[in-house]
Amino acid sequence: MPDFAINDVPHTRLNILTGERILVSPHRSKRPWQGQVEELSLDKRPEYDPNCYLCPGNKRADGSENPDYKESFVFVNDFSALLKDTEEGNINEEGLLVAETERGICKVIAFTPRHDLTLPEMDVEDIKKVVDVWQSEFASLASNEWIKYIQIFENKGSIMGCSNPHPHGQIWAESKLPMEILKEEKQQQEYFLKNKKSLLSDYLALELKKKERIIIDNDHFVALVPFWAAWPFETMLISKRHVTDITEFSEEEKLDLAKTLQELTIRYDNIFSTSFPYSAGMHQAPVNNGEQDFWHWHMHFYPPLLRSATVKKFMVGYEMLANPQRDITAEKAAEIIRNQPTIHYKSNTK
């Protein structure tokens, strides 16, 4: 079968991490936009908000009082989606009505005492302290033998359902493996057994060779737009060294991760001169679940913005009923992000 003009004609791309496909329609990116326009957030906040339940010294929703913390602050979510003391139970009616209890621990991490900052506006040293907390919390949660997976993530911006603008992320640790993890586990394990190398090691080597979708390339991490990206400005961070989870990172690697996170999120904000919303999270090896050498640490960023700070990408119609679809190609998105300055746009107005 001959090659085709990948930047001109409709085609599908394979997501090698999940085994799923996405439809790419590059010719549609030229069409005029007459769809939904979101209201632009001015994103002007004070350093301290007396009504914020994450600011130092304030009361949270359950009445607890935050300490006067100076760096990151971690606590069990006052309205956890998973509960530690849930007893085991299941329902199975003829294999048609099936349910089972899920046990877990949900934590919140306030990244900084400053109410007015986001990751791209924080110093690298302060982001490194957040990475330290991620690492220590992962190790602490993994010490519970009943916990099988630990999901570290951040929802940024009200458009992504973030209920509090204070810079924070979450960690959900649970007793079973989530569906996205099961998909990635299958793909990575099959590749590792066949090739004796991690799937993402070989993928990263090919991306670095082609240099079409690379955004950041430093000593320890690469940020790129994956070939199969579904969201317009979706990116992925991959560790150059094959490690299975965050506990394996050295001090030097953690500092490089902090630098990568700062630079990528600055580039995001600079695309539309706005606080760029996203959901982001790490995928790493399950815990207390046997040998996991085939897992390779990586981090996904899923931003919803499409054409401007006020135009959001919706997964609807064909995408809900068939498979994801995008107009702007991964290569064009990478070019746009890569061409952004690494000085935050707000710095030019100070």
Side-chain angles (χ1 to χ4, degrees):
M1 184 179 293
D3 289 342
F4 60 91
I6 199 168
N7 291 312
D8 297 322
V9 301
H11 61 277
T12 61
R13 298 190 185 192
L14 175 67
N15 182 334
I16 59 173
L17 277 172
T18 65
E20 299 169 342
R21 292 185 181 274
I22 173 176
L23 174 64
V24 183
S25 310
H27 59 290
R28 279 166 50 94
S29 61
K30 299 174 184 177
R31 67 185 176 130
W33 179 257
Q34 293 181 319
Q36 175 74 21
V37 176
E38 301 291 341
E39 189 173 322
L40 182 62
S41 171
L42 296 178
D43 191 39
K44 291 183 178 179
R45 304 193 303 274
E47 289 189 21
Y48 167 78
D49 182 349
N51 298 312
C52 169
Y53 62 78
L54 290 181
C55 279
N58 288 359
K59 283 189 177 182
R60 298 203 306 274
D62 70 342
S64 302
E65 188 171 299
N66 296 330
D68 187 22
Y69 64 96
K70 304 301 181 185
E71 294 175 358
S72 294
F73 169 51
V74 184
F75 62 94
V76 174
N77 195 319
D78 300 326
F79 296 96
S80 296
L82 296 162
L83 302 174
K84 183 177 181 180
D85 299 324
T86 301
E87 295 183 2
E88 289 189 17
N90 65 79
I91 296 170
N92 191 327
E93 296 186 28
E94 302 178 26
L96 300 173
L97 306 178
V98 182
E100 56 185 327
T101 55
E102 181 75 1
R103 185 182 176 197
I105 300 171
C106 297
K107 292 191 172 185
V108 175
I109 304 174
F111 293 156
T112 170
R114 288 275 299 271
H115 184 77
D116 59 330
L117 298 181
T118 57
L119 278 181
E121 299 170 273
M122 291 170 59
D123 293 335
V124 168
E125 294 76 14
D126 290 329
I127 300 175
K128 162 65 165 56
K129 292 173 183 175
V130 174
V131 177
D132 289 337
V133 171
W134 285 336
Q135 189 179 62
S136 62
E137 285 294 323
F138 186 97
S140 174
L141 288 165
S143 67
N144 297 285
E145 291 187 4
W146 58 272
I147 286 178
K148 302 303 179 185
Y149 190 72
I150 300 167
Q151 182 62 65
I152 299 172
F153 66 100
E154 177 195 4
N155 293 323
K156 182 189 175 203
S158 58
I159 199 173
M160 300 307 293
C162 183
S163 60
N164 189 312
H166 193 109
H168 70 283
Q170 300 184 57
I171 304 180
W172 291 16
E174 55 191 306
S175 56
K176 300 180 185 70
L177 304 192
M179 288 305 301
E180 290 301 308
I181 301 309
L182 288 171
K183 293 176 193 175
E184 291 199 3
E185 180 175 71
K186 179 178 182 293
Q187 294 295 109
Q188 291 184 89
Q189 187 172 33
E190 288 180 356
Y191 190 92
F192 191 82
L193 290 173
K194 180 180 178 181
N195 299 282
K196 311 304 178 188
K197 290 181 68 178
S198 86
L199 172 66
L200 288 182
S201 289
D202 281 351
Y203 171 67
L204 186 55
L206 180 57
E207 286 284 21
L208 288 170
K209 179 181 178 181
K210 296 182 73 67
K211 298 186 183 302
E212 294 175 343
R213 289 166 289 274
I214 302 295
I215 298 167
I216 301 169
D217 176 11
N218 56 37
D219 290 342
H220 300 291
F221 294 90
V222 169
L224 52 79
V225 176
F227 180 73
W228 55 85
W231 293 93
F233 294 103
E234 177 180 334
T235 58
M236 182 165 63
L237 272 58
I238 307 173
S239 61
K240 286 187 173 180
R241 188 165 66 93
H242 175 198
V243 301
T244 61
D245 65 57
I246 195 172
T247 63
E248 298 179 56
F249 287 149
S250 66
E251 290 298 309
E252 186 177 339
E253 285 171 319
K254 287 190 291 181
L255 182 59
D256 244 11
L257 176 56
K259 291 176 181 177
T260 307
L261 289 168
Q262 185 199 53
E263 182 179 334
L264 177 62
T265 53
I266 285 175
R267 289 177 184 270
Y268 269 153
D269 280 10
N270 286 344
I271 294 175
F272 298 131
S273 296
T274 191
S275 184
F276 211 77
Y278 57 73
S279 281
M282 301 175 198
H283 278 169
Q284 46 198 329
V287 298
N288 304 312
N289 206 32
E291 205 62 47
Q292 303 287 328
D293 289 346
F294 53 88
W295 268 93
H296 190 136
W297 182 97
H298 58 284
M299 186 171 185
H300 297 282
F301 278 79
Y302 300 131
L305 296 187
L306 176 59
R307 295 168 179 256
S308 73
T310 62
V311 178
K312 177 186 176 183
K313 160 75 174 180
F314 292 93
M315 291 288 187
V316 296
Y318 179 87
E319 294 150 320
M320 295 177 72
L321 298 165
N323 53 237
Q325 181 272 339
R326 67 181 289 140
D327 297 345
I328 180 176
T329 64
E331 296 73 36
K332 182 61 178 178
E335 179 186 342
I336 292 171
I337 303 172
R338 187 170 52 242
N339 288 341
Q340 300 306 312
T342 55
I343 303 299
H344 197 274
Y345 75 93
K346 286 185 180 179
S347 298
N348 299 323
T349 61
K350 292 178 180 178

